[in-house]
Amino acid sequence: MTSVLDLAPVVPVVVIDDVADAVPLARALVAGGLPAIEVTLRTPAALDAIRSIADGVPEAVVGAGTVISSDGVDAAVAAGARFLVSPGWTERLLDAMKASGVPFLPGVSTTSEVVALLERSVSEMKFFPAEAAGGTPYLKSLAGPLPQARFCPTGGISSALAPSYLALRNVGCVGGTWMLPADAIAAKDWARVENLAASAAALRG
């Protein structure tokens, strides 16, 4: 698989409570031009949702987010996750993600964490929580001394803020939830999700 950072300008960060929503939601996102879908392991339905998307929407590249343990790594990959995303990392978690055989984005919010990952030959990372941790000025300042590091900033990013992140040379994509409004999910308004996804996909022309 090509780098997760290069699949689309935006990776939807999805919290699924009802497994029945997984396939139509994924189809709407893919139809809108966002094939990389991060399903967070925050709900009891998450692993079954990943499995449903992997089986039912082959054109989607489904991944698991909020991966915080080696058990979570194993369960996500077994369910069909094609990439892994963590909010932070430890040596044990990093070893598990490296051993998983799928691409992964360990979370960082400090320069020291970035340098530590580069020491471990990991150059693609999640910057989280992006807005709270310094936003675009922080990432821009990292590009000079650490040009080999590339990021998917996530956390507090809206459709209005996304273009400023995507303009940075060390940002491959951003993660966000704005194309997944709660009222649209509740109403199963997949056409609205598709339209919002299409607008997100067009942020980097």
Side-chain angles (χ1 to χ4, degrees):
M1 184 178 79
T2 186
S3 167
V4 177
L5 300 183
D6 297 326
L7 290 172
V10 180
V11 176
V13 180
V14 182
V15 179
I16 294 181
D17 293 299
D18 185 350
V19 175
D21 290 339
V23 166
L25 177 59
R27 285 177 176 157
L29 292 171
V30 170
L34 301 181
I37 302 169
E38 176 188 335
V39 177
T40 65
L41 301 184
R42 301 182 197 175
T43 68
L47 289 172
D48 285 336
I50 290 170
R51 191 173 292 109
S52 294
I53 295 170
D55 292 342
V57 194
E59 61 272 34
V61 181
V62 63
T66 322
V67 178
I68 57 172
S69 69
S70 55
D71 288 345
V73 169
D74 294 340
V77 174
R82 294 173 60 187
F83 65 92
L84 306 170
V85 184
S86 68
W89 65 277
T90 63
E91 293 291 341
R92 182 176 179 183
L93 179 57
L94 187 65
D95 287 342
M97 290 192 292
K98 278 193 160 191
S100 70
V102 301
F104 57 92
L105 297 173
V108 298
S109 60
T110 69
T111 307
S112 293
E113 290 172 314
V114 176
V115 172
L117 284 176
L118 292 174
E119 280 188 350
R120 295 288 302 272
S121 300
V122 176
S123 60
E124 297 189 343
M125 314 166 194
K126 171 179 177 172
F127 180 59
F128 177 84
E131 279 294 286
T136 53
Y138 192 96
L139 283 173
K140 187 175 182 179
S141 71
L142 291 181
L146 302 170
Q148 63 272 57
R150 296 180 71 218
F151 301 94
C152 175
T154 305
I157 299 177
S158 64
S159 59
L161 292 173
S164 63
Y165 280 93
L166 293 169
L168 299 177
R169 67 186 189 207
N170 56 350
V171 169
C173 63
V174 301
T177 60
W178 72 85
M179 73 299 299
L180 301 161
D183 58 339
I185 305 301
K188 303 190 188 303
D189 188 350
W190 310 126
R192 182 180 171 200
V193 171
E194 180 180 339
N195 288 335
L196 289 169
S199 295
L203 287 176
R204 176 181 283 157

